[in-house]
Amino acid sequence: MTGEVVRPRELLSTAELHSGVRRLAAELSAAYDDGLLLVAVLKGSVPFLADLVRHLTIQPEVDFLAISRYAPGTGRVRIVKDLDVDIAGRDVVLVEDIVDTGLTLTYIVGELARREPRSLAVCALLDKAVRRIVPTPIAFTGFRIDDEFVLGYGLDFGERYRNLNRVVAGDLADLRARPDAYVAGLFAG
Ligand code: 5GP
């Protein structure tokens, strides 16, 4: 019903997210030296990257990639904003918000690997492992989650909810019917 306040279930609180991000930052700081190149995939990874870099004890460089999907579920992806730096010979960590089927990540990893970095690893905040179609090695994982459509901390539905400071599980049928369905319940007061 229009105007009804719906509160989706919280999956990860702000405190849980921050402790997961701190753990990942410690793992990366132990595994790499200064000069590590973090490649974040726009736009969903931005809050994660912003928190992650502030907990690193090494000095990383950061760059961004943006991709666009031709059609959902096909795995066909193209780069619409490429990196500014040459990654040949560099240690690169790809920073992703969520890995679902693994198709997107497989494409990006393949693309970056062709550029001959010294090493290439993936750091993903959320891993929906049960949905995986292609095997996708994730060296640094924040949280494994079940097969749910999640929102918040960078993850959107129709560009909404990225600015939520926690992660909630949404109902895709609700959202398709009313993309703003959770706005009042999540942000008001
Ligand atoms: P994959 O290619 O692994 O199936 O999909 C990865 C991309 O799909 C993610 O980068 C993200 O943009 C989107 N995605 C997958 N699962 C979710 C989800 O639960 N919530 C949201 N908001 N986006 C998702």
Side-chain angles (χ1 to χ4, degrees), residues 21 24-25 27-29 32-42 45 48-65 83-85 87 90-96 112 119-124 140:
V21 172
L24 289 172
E27 289 175 18
L28 288 170
S29 298
Y32 294 94
D33 297 322
D34 293 349
L36 168 68
L37 178 66
L38 295 175
V39 170
V41 184
L42 295 171
S45 304
F48 174 38
L49 175 80
D51 285 340
L52 187 67
V53 291
R54 283 179 285 182
H55 291 292
L56 291 174
T57 55
I58 53 168
Q59 301 301 304
E61 191 179 343
V62 171
D63 204 351
F64 296 93
L65 260 186
L83 298 175
D84 292 330
V85 301
I87 65 170
R90 303 278 308 262
D91 288 317
V92 177
V93 170
L94 189 61
V95 176
E96 262 285 27
L112 296 184
S119 68
L120 178 58
V122 174
C123 175
F140 305 92

Side-chain angles (χ1 to χ4, degrees), residues 41-42 44-45 67 69 73 75 77 96-106 126 128 131-133 136 145-152 154-158 160 162 168 172:
V41 184
L42 295 171
S45 304
I67 53 158
R69 280 177 201 87
V77 166
E96 262 285 27
D97 47 5
I98 188 164
V99 184
D100 184 17
T101 62
L103 291 168
T104 308
L105 197 62
T106 300
L126 304 177
K128 260 198 244 181
R131 293 257 309 159
R132 204 58 40 78
I133 292 176
T136 319
I145 60 169
D146 292 335
D147 182 8
E148 310 210 58
F149 186 76
V150 293
L151 299 164
L155 288 153
D156 74 315
F157 181 85
R160 296 151 176 91
R162 289 194 198 278
V168 298
L172 270 173

